[in-house]
Amino acid sequence: MKKYLFITSLIILSNSCDIVEGPYITDSNSYVNPEKNVLIEDFTGHLCSNCPEAAREISAIHDVYGDQIIALAIHTSTSFARPYLASQTGFQYDFRTTWGEAWDNNFGASAIGLPRGMVNRIGGQSPTLSKDEWAEVVADELKKEIDFKIEISSDANSVTISVESQKNSSGAYNYVICLAESNIINWQKDGSLNVENYEHNHVLRCVLADDNLSSSSTFLSGQLIEKTIEYNLADLQQFNIDYSSQTAEAGNGNAGNWNPENISIIAFIYNTNTNEILQVKEVDLNS
Amino acid sequence: MKKIISLFVSIHFCFFAFSQESNIGVITGNFNLNLQSYQEDSKIGAEAQDEIILNNAYLNLNYTRGNFASGIRYESYLNALADFDPEFKGNGIMYRYATYSIDNLEITAGNYYEQLGSGLIFRSYEEKGLGIDNAMDGVRLKYVPIDGLYLKTFIGKSRTHFTYSDGIFRGADAELNINEILNSELKTKFILGGSFVSRYQQRDNLIFQIPQNVSAYASRINLMHGKWSNFGEYAYKINDPANVLSQSQMNYANGTAFTQNITFSKRGFGISAEMHRTDNMTFKSDRDRDGKAYIINYIPTLSKPHTYSLLALYPCATQADGELGIQFDIFYKFKKGSRLGGKYGTKIAINYSQINALEGGPSFLNDIRTHKPTFINFDEVLHYQDFNISVAKKINRKLNTNFIFANQTYNKDVLEGKPIGDYGILNSTILVSDISYKIKAGHTIRLELQSLISSQIEDGKQPKEGDWSMSLIEYTISPHWFLSIQDMYNYGNEDINKQLHYVNINAGFIKGANRFEIGYGKKREGIFCVGGVCKTVPSSNGFSLSVSSSF
């Protein structure tokens, strides 16, 4: 009897397993890859009265996905971002940068009309989208797997990014490191209003690097690439002041007063053939 | 829990009292204490500990009477030694059991250790040196219905530090000894075995399917014919994905492992060939946790376990997630009186092992990626290679020698889980000479000289440790005293500031069942392995005291 009981218990045991068949994903619409981040580059200007709506859209997307959404406000073009003359009221600050103007020229944002933005630069040669198109592309992008993982560290003089390849791949990639500042209180047109105390967030201040990620086009899973860039905040600020006063159309040199406490580092990697941003990361400066 | 412990303690005291007075049953036990002080030593990267002294200790007490046995183990980590998982913290009776057998049935309740086959799908064991103790807590039955048929089944949870993991394990094993069953006198002996284990862990995931019951099977065969012996085991584990939200980490592929070993041995000569392959075969007691405390299976190592310090400087850690390896061993003893054997004979042992990654990596299956490596195909990524020859020769009644030559290749990034490209792959050539001389009755002096010459096969970003030398002198006055001084010198370190001596002095006293050892010295940060299972050892500088005793 004992023998049979024993053998019966063995048979019962051998049935206790759950073999799962694909599709393994039960709710693909809700799926978000928690490691994937998305960069929304918002071409904007303080004279653009519709632009705050785009900023509010970014804020709404951020409310849904949290810090997986990283934003960069790129003030650009003479029409939308020039400072007013000193004799006029308000709008005296010049948020423009040489890099923002170059990206605008390259991707053709202000030529179509602002606000205009890019979500991970998806869309090949014409990646700019109207704000109402952003959320859908964000949801698609967040489902993607990451090819590279980015970690950022910095001190008062240098920024280091370490990029870990997540799989064996080949391609031509650039890395970009830029600085953005938030909580800047200044003038902004918002609909029919001229808002004096508008809070400007994640404003592009400068690009520290935009260069080849590797001299090789082959990347191995687990491979680690480190890049260190030296910087001097005072020099960078002076560079923007000089750019505003000497180069930018209708500039006034009023591009200083940076607050290091509100500056963050944004680093991303993009495919130089398709422009697609594969991964992006943001940390506070001096973290 | 406290009630159970106090019940066990009182039972043992009762039995102890009986054993003293009525001589019913026997009590045995053993005790071990390891204490170490930690001083800061910035040169070697050793950190001082807040507690100054850390301590591990345990006491085993076992009572047996006829077919009944019971026991407890008291453990104390105040706080655990720096090379232990800090989760081992505090005191407690973490092992208690009672077992009896009657009419071929053995019943165990409480804690027990168990292994199915060679452990490919399940091994609950303790290895103090590694800080591993995944004892089971539950019940186990073993039954021998007829001669030659051995059945066992168990249910329980596995220990993790001072608690038990979330997963519930149900297991069974049947072993059939054909010769015993048939009462056969055949020269060829067959032993067949089959085992099964299933883990239940309730988990929900918003996005992905999670199997609640994950099972694994294994079958094994042991064939012996004269001087030949063959052991083979094949194991299979069903889908066992992690429970995360990132699709890239959700792997639904099955796990497989096999091990195959053929040996021939006769007096003075032995040869063995071994092969194993693992693919996606990490089996954990809690799918949400990482770390060796949660590993519930064991893949036997495929490289020679070395004991000499520089031979074991870069040991091979078995990669349960995926590796393919082979190993050959030859042992020969030149007879006494032969030209190479001399007066006392000469022993020579040759060993070769090579372990590579699976072609393209381990199996992977989910909605976006499928990969299945070819069954037998060595990937170009080498994990480990070791070729070594040892010659042991007794010169005369006083002089004994052992010489070893080895060449090892070590993929530090893969075997130590570092980012690829950090340390690259290094090759080392190692020479060991071990000479002991008996000065007079009971007095022996032993001298060990080792050298490791290192070169990089694939460069890494981190500074290289480079070449090492090691010397040891040991004086033993048997049976009571021993003293040893050892110096490991990293003279070839790429970083000049790290070209350091790691000196250790140890002295011990043994009397009867008690053994005391004190030591002082510096330890290098490194990897320590037992049977292919490894732990990281931090660098340290300080005194140590070890006491062990048994009755």
Side-chain angles (χ1 to χ4, degrees):
Chain A
M1 184 62 191
K2 246 186 258 175
K3 189 192 325 180
Y4 295 117
L5 273 177
F6 218 99
I7 291 165
T8 311
S9 70
L10 293 185
I11 293 166
I12 293 168
L13 273 174
S14 63
N15 283 317
S16 48
C17 64
D18 304 334
I19 295 173
V20 179
E21 304 280 341
Y24 303 103
I25 198 159
T26 51
D27 184 359
S28 56
N29 289 330
S30 308
Y31 174 63
V32 167
N33 177 0
E35 293 185 310
K36 177 83 174 177
N37 296 333
V38 171
L39 180 67
I40 304 177
E41 291 167 278
D42 172 23
F43 290 98
T44 186
H46 60 174
L47 304 181
C48 166
S49 54
N50 292 324
C51 286
E53 281 299 334
R56 284 189 274 273
E57 175 67 9
I58 290 175
S59 180
I61 295 173
H62 185 273
D63 285 346
V64 175
Y65 299 111
D67 290 342
Q68 287 182 262
I69 306 300
I70 294 165
L72 201 50
I74 303 160
H75 288 247
T76 183
S77 85
T78 310
S79 333
F80 293 111
R82 72 176 189 281
Y84 272 181
L85 296 171
S87 56
Q88 294 174 284
T89 306
F91 303 98
Q92 297 295 320
Y93 198 81
D94 195 350
F95 288 103
R96 294 173 298 174
T97 64
T98 181
W99 303 279
E101 295 295 303
W103 287 348
D104 184 21
N105 287 333
N106 191 24
F107 298 116
S110 65
I112 298 172
L114 301 186
R116 200 80 187 155
M118 301 188 288
V119 177
N120 274 356
R121 299 189 179 176
I122 293 292
Q125 293 311 308
S126 52
T128 67
L129 306 166
S130 74
K131 67 176 174 49
D132 297 339
E133 296 171 294
W134 294 350
E136 192 182 345
V137 183
V138 165
D140 289 344
E141 281 298 289
L142 284 171
K143 290 185 181 16
K144 288 185 178 173
E145 294 308 310
I146 55 166
D147 293 350
F148 297 100
K149 198 179 262 184
I150 305 173
E151 295 296 333
I152 308 173
S153 59
S154 69
D155 57 29
N157 309 309
S158 68
V159 176
T160 299
I161 63 164
S162 50
V163 178
E164 187 187 338
S165 174
Q166 301 296 295
K167 62 176 191 184
N168 296 336
S169 65
S170 62
Y173 304 108
N174 265 26
Y175 72 99
V176 174
I177 303 173
C178 51
L179 301 183
E181 185 172 338
S182 290
N183 305 104
I184 304 170
I185 306 300
N186 217 313
W187 290 79
Q188 171 71 46
K189 286 189 181 289
D190 187 355
S192 57
L193 301 173
N194 288 338
V195 181
E196 185 179 353
N197 295 318
Y198 186 84
E199 185 179 308
H200 295 263
N201 286 317
H202 27 82
V203 174
L204 175 70
R205 284 303 198 183
C206 66
V207 175
L208 297 174
D210 184 346
D211 209 348
N212 283 340
L213 183 61
S214 167
S215 52
S216 159
S217 61
T218 308
F219 299 88
L220 295 173
S221 176
Q223 185 184 346
L224 207 61
I225 298 168
E226 269 192 5
K227 302 283 180 185
T228 298
I229 304 290
E230 306 283 327
Y231 76 93
N232 179 310
L233 217 50
D235 290 351
L236 293 168
Q237 177 175 281
Q238 189 57 46
F239 183 90
N240 273 21
I241 291 168
D242 294 346
Y243 172 75
S244 173
S245 61
Q246 296 164 19
T247 313
E249 192 177 342
N252 60 3
N254 188 11
N257 289 325
W258 293 14
N259 183 351
E261 287 187 1
N262 293 335
I263 293 180
S264 64
I265 304 163
I266 295 174
F268 60 90
I269 290 163
Y270 70 94
N271 182 315
T272 55
N273 295 318
T274 63
N275 291 326
E276 179 181 347
I277 292 174
L278 298 160
Q279 180 64 322
V280 55
K281 180 92 176 176
E282 179 174 24
V283 299
D284 291 338
L285 189 66
N286 297 333
S287 62
Chain B
M1 182 69 192
K2 276 183 184 165
K3 280 181 187 168
I4 295 171
I5 291 167
S6 53
L7 181 66
F8 266 87
V9 172
S10 48
I11 286 171
H12 281 85
F13 276 112
C14 288
F15 279 128
F16 187 71
F18 272 120
S19 69
Q20 295 294 300
E21 291 169 15
S22 321
N23 195 24
I24 55 166
V26 179
I27 287 191
T28 57
N30 59 68
F31 170 78
N32 184 273
L33 174 144
N34 280 300
L35 188 142
Q36 163 109 37
S37 71
Y38 294 87
Q39 294 156 244
E40 189 177 337
D41 188 333
S42 55
K43 278 187 179 171
I44 63 168
E47 290 176 4
Q49 300 292 331
D50 292 342
E51 302 92 332
I52 302 170
I53 289 170
L54 297 175
N55 174 44
N56 292 0
Y58 66 86
L59 172 72
N60 277 312
L61 283 178
N62 290 300
Y63 170 79
T64 49
R65 178 176 179 254
N67 55 4
F68 175 82
S70 176
I72 58 164
R73 181 169 60 237
Y74 176 83
E75 297 178 24
S76 173
Y77 304 92
L78 293 172
N79 286 327
L81 297 176
D83 56 344
F84 265 58
D85 195 327
E87 293 284 318
F88 283 105
K89 198 170 191 176
N91 298 321
I93 293 174
M94 282 308 291
Y95 195 88
R96 69 281 183 279
Y97 73 96
T99 181
Y100 74 92
S101 50
I102 189 159
D103 296 338
N104 294 339
L105 177 68
E106 181 193 297
I107 295 172
T108 304
N111 294 111
Y112 55 90
Y113 294 108
E114 186 54 79
Q115 176 170 333
L116 302 181
S118 52
L120 298 181
I121 61 168
F122 188 86
R123 187 190 189 200
S124 161
Y125 68 114
E126 69 150 342
E127 176 52 65
K128 283 274 183 301
L130 291 174
I132 287 180
D133 189 341
N134 57 0
M136 297 297 290
D137 189 19
V139 292
R140 178 180 64 187
L141 307 180
K142 289 183 178 179
Y143 189 51
V144 186
I146 50 171
D147 282 349
L149 178 61
Y150 304 90
L151 303 175
K152 63 185 166 191
T153 181
F154 63 87
I155 188 162
K157 287 186 157 200
S158 125
R159 177 181 173 184
T160 50
H161 312 117
F162 266 81
T163 180
Y164 290 91
S165 70
D166 203 32
I168 299 172
F169 283 89
R170 294 72 53 94
D173 186 84
E175 190 166 284
L176 199 61
N177 186 321
I178 305 280
N179 302 68
E180 279 185 26
I181 283 190
L182 301 176
N183 206 7
S184 146
E185 297 294 324
L186 270 176
K187 270 191 173 178
T188 309
K189 293 184 168 48
F190 295 91
I191 301 170
L192 302 173
S195 49
F196 168 85
V197 68
S198 167
R199 180 198 66 214
Y200 169 74
Q201 189 180 21
Q202 169 66 37
R203 282 291 177 271
D204 293 315
N205 188 301
L206 284 172
I207 308 289
F208 298 103
Q209 294 191 61
I210 301 290
Q212 310 293 318
N213 291 285
V214 174
S215 56
Y217 312 79
S219 56
R220 59 186 187 272
I221 181 166
N222 198 348
L223 275 176
M224 285 161 286
H225 181 84
K227 298 177 172 69
W228 290 91
S229 169
N230 172 79
F231 177 80
E233 184 167 13
Y234 178 82
Y236 176 86
K237 176 166 73 87
I238 70 160
N239 45 212
D240 185 16
N243 180 27
V244 293
L245 293 175
S246 177
Q247 197 160 15
S248 63
Q249 291 171 42
M250 295 300 289
N251 184 2
Y252 289 84
N254 299 317
T256 55
F258 87 86
T259 175
Q260 175 62 46
N261 180 4
I262 298 174
T263 59
F264 172 85
S265 67
K266 63 173 195 173
R267 193 180 164 87
F269 176 67
I271 184 164
S272 86
E274 196 174 349
M275 179 173 204
H276 88 198
R277 180 186 190 273
T278 62
D279 182 10
N280 198 21
M281 205 56 200
T282 301
F283 199 8
K284 297 192 292 185
S285 56
D286 184 333
R287 67 162 80 246
D288 298 343
R289 305 293 188 93
D290 284 325
K292 61 180 184 295
Y294 298 94
I295 305 288
I296 199 69
N297 65 336
Y298 170 75
I299 313 289
T301 183
L302 202 67
S303 62
K304 188 171 183 172
H306 293 294
T307 48
Y308 289 103
S309 344
L310 294 188
L311 284 170
L313 200 66
Y314 301 116
C316 182
T318 309
Q319 306 296 303
D321 281 340
E323 68 177 30
L324 175 61
I326 47 168
Q327 178 169 230
F328 301 99
D329 272 299
I330 299 172
F331 165 79
Y332 187 73
K333 184 179 177 186
F334 293 98
K335 284 180 187 162
K336 291 176 190 174
S338 64
R339 181 185 285 187
L340 289 169
K343 192 176 176 186
Y344 296 92
T346 303
K347 292 175 192 164
I348 181 163
I350 301 172
N351 167 267
Y352 175 78
S353 61
Q354 182 185 327
I355 295 148
N356 286 52
L358 297 180
E359 174 244 347
S363 290
F364 199 90
L365 172 68
N366 67 17
D367 294 326
I368 54 169
R369 191 163 95 81
T370 303
H371 171 68
K372 201 165 181 58
T374 321
F375 192 63
I376 301 290
N377 192 352
F378 287 91
D379 190 83
E380 60 188 21
V381 177
L382 177 73
H383 286 181
Y384 186 80
Q385 194 177 45
D386 184 8
F387 171 74
N388 57 79
I389 302 177
S390 65
V391 180
K393 178 147 187 65
K394 188 174 178 179
I395 308 290
N396 55 41
R397 285 174 63 192
K398 291 191 167 184
L399 193 61
N400 232 324
T401 62
N402 191 20
F403 299 98
I404 300 175
F405 164 85
N407 185 279
Q408 297 176 348
T409 304
Y410 184 74
N411 190 331
K412 191 173 167 94
D413 295 336
V414 169
L415 296 175
E416 294 185 19
K418 312 272 187 197
I420 303 299
D422 248 21
Y423 291 91
I425 299 175
L426 58 103
N427 179 271
S428 41
T429 301
I430 304 143
L431 291 169
V432 175
S433 72
D434 180 351
I435 297 162
S436 62
Y437 181 75
K438 200 170 174 179
I439 298 167
K440 58 181 181 182
H443 289 245
T444 307
I445 188 163
R446 192 167 76 85
L447 179 69
E448 209 178 287
L449 296 171
Q450 303 179 27
S451 164
L452 182 147
I453 309 291
S454 168
S455 64
Q456 290 287 136
I457 290 181
E458 264 179 36
D459 228 347
K461 287 177 202 149
Q462 303 292 337
K464 285 95 196 156
E465 279 192 340
D467 303 343
W468 285 83
S469 70
M470 185 271 189
S471 44
L472 174 140
I473 188 159
E474 185 181 84
Y475 196 88
T476 310
I477 307 168
S478 50
H480 297 307
W481 296 94
F482 68 89
L483 171 73
S484 74
I485 301 170
Q486 171 190 320
D487 177 28
M488 276 175 68
Y489 178 31
N490 188 196
Y491 66 90
N493 200 307
E494 206 172 66
D495 181 349
I496 293 171
N497 296 319
K498 290 195 170 170
Q499 292 179 356
L500 301 168
H501 288 272
Y502 295 78
V503 179
N504 278 276
I505 301 171
N506 287 72
F509 174 69
I510 303 157
K511 188 165 186 193
N514 301 323
R515 182 181 187 279
F516 306 87
E517 182 175 344
I518 53 166
Y520 174 76
K522 298 178 181 187
K523 281 189 196 132
R524 150 196 182 267
E525 182 185 350
I527 299 289
F528 172 73
C529 300
V530 177
V533 181
C534 304
K535 70 169 178 180
T536 308
V537 180
S539 50
S540 64
N541 179 4
F543 288 94
S544 64
L545 168 69
S546 163
V547 179
S548 54
S549 170
S550 59
F551 68 95

